[in-house]
Amino acid sequence: MTQPHPPARTRGADRMWAVALAAAFWGTSALMREPLAAHLPAPTIVFYEHVIIVLCLSPWIVPAMRALAAAGPRVIAAMLVIGGGSSALAATLFTAAFTVGDPITPQVLQKLQPVFAIVLAVWLLGERLTPRFAWYAVPALLGAWLLAFPDPFAVGVQSAQAAALAIGAALLWGAGTVLGRIAGASLSPIHVTAMRFTIALPVALGLSLATGSSLAIGAAHLPLLLALALIPGLAALALYYWALGRTAATRATLAELAFPLVSAVVGVVFLGASLGWSQWVGAAIVLIAVTAMTLSRSRRPSGVIAPDIAPAPQP
């Protein structure tokens, strides 16, 4: 079994910047996911996305299984939730949200995900917030709200179904951030990544079969599926888990707000979407809040979150 990652106590240890970069990669997924969702069912897209990633990770799957078996039931349970819930099911919900709502609706999850993750991190990991944390968290969440809704003072979602899909994805991804910290204490980043997608693959297949989604795809879909799997999928997750071992989950989930920021830019520049003035203000607030938190961390490592992370008891 690999040695646990050391806690983020030194100036050079924190990797919040890498979490933000991984989240930025996720923000490019709309370039592939939206045109695919116009022709293929959401479970089908997610299934083939996981097939491609598992094939790429195949040399590490057997060693990762051995490491996971030696890590104990708590880590195994965490990886089962990450793979089945935070990967397969959350990706399916997020992809489906593009087909039943407007392009902005899925960004609601980026307003709610930090809330879920912060509560779970305090509960499961024993992370202790300091009062200064609110000076960064509140503006970041406010900015995410402004970015998510064209009219922040008259919020309306075109479809209750789209809202439910976005909220479900938010909860699952928030849980994945916290449980990834638990798994990363016993497994290397490549093993966490390999197990995430290996566990998710049969779940994605089951979702496709349960929903009656056809698994037939055309050759024209392959380039977009490959790009979706390799850039916002494999590359982003590998970078994310490398960073998560040295970044508190409460800080990581705020760095992940780079996701809606990049998504907004991609939508405007490449997909023909438009943002109102309040959404641009929200994007700026998100960027400033996350950058300020990173700079504060470099000056005072314990300024945002208490440095000691008490591990949850073994079951």
Side-chain angles (χ1 to χ4, degrees):
M1 184 175 67
T2 59
Q3 293 295 319
H5 296 299
R9 296 171 184 259
T10 63
R11 293 182 61 179
D14 186 85
R15 293 172 180 169
M16 185 179 175
W17 64 269
V19 175
L21 181 58
F25 285 161
W26 294 335
T28 67
S29 70
L31 289 171
M32 292 74 73
R33 203 175 295 276
E34 190 171 35
L36 285 169
H39 300 282
L40 298 173
T44 303
I45 296 170
V46 174
F47 171 69
Y48 282 107
E49 182 182 358
H50 283 76
V51 167
I52 294 168
I53 295 175
V54 168
L55 288 174
C56 293
L57 293 173
S58 56
W60 292 276
I61 290 176
V62 172
M65 287 181 173
R66 292 172 180 165
L68 180 61
R74 179 166 172 256
V75 176
I76 292 173
M79 284 307 313
L80 287 174
V81 176
I82 291 171
S86 304
S87 188
L89 182 55
T92 302
L93 295 176
F94 182 64
T95 303
F98 280 94
T99 67
V100 296
D102 61 85
I104 299 297
T105 297
Q107 305 310 324
V108 174
L109 67 89
Q110 287 305 310
K111 180 183 72 70
L112 296 176
Q113 181 184 343
V115 177
F116 292 133
I118 288 170
V119 172
L120 289 171
V122 173
W123 178 38
L124 295 177
L125 302 183
E127 294 187 1
R128 304 192 309 276
L129 301 180
T130 68
R132 176 178 288 193
F133 183 80
W135 288 99
Y136 304 104
V138 172
L141 293 175
L142 174 62
W145 176 275
L146 293 173
L147 180 58
F149 299 107
D151 187 348
F153 303 107
V155 175
V157 179
Q158 291 184 356
S159 168
Q161 183 181 4
L165 292 170
I167 292 170
L171 175 59
L172 291 169
W173 276 333
T177 297
V178 177
L179 295 174
R181 285 277 296 170
I182 294 175
S186 301
L187 303 174
S188 68
I190 188 62
H191 287 167
V192 173
T193 305
M195 282 294 88
R196 174 188 177 118
F197 290 106
T198 301
I199 292 170
L201 181 58
V203 177
L205 177 60
L207 289 171
S208 297
L209 297 177
T211 57
S213 302
S214 172
L215 296 180
I217 60 172
H221 300 136
L222 288 177
L224 287 176
L225 285 169
L226 283 169
L228 179 64
L230 296 181
I231 301 173
L234 181 57
L237 262 295
L239 179 63
Y240 176 74
Y241 284 124
W242 174 79
L244 197 58
R246 299 287 183 88
T247 309
T250 42
R251 291 167 51 76
T253 197
L254 286 172
E256 291 166 23
L257 291 173
F259 183 4
L261 178 63
V262 173
S263 294
V265 174
V266 166
V268 170
V269 176
F270 298 102
L271 300 179
S274 60
L275 294 181
W277 68 267
S278 62
Q279 290 175 291
W280 285 115
V281 170
I285 292 174
V286 169
L287 181 60
I288 292 171
V290 173
T291 302
M293 179 180 286
T294 303
L295 295 175
S296 174
R297 176 69 180 183
S298 68
R299 293 192 298 268
R300 291 187 59 183
S302 60
V304 175
I305 185 166
D308 294 326
I309 300 176
Q314 293 287 339

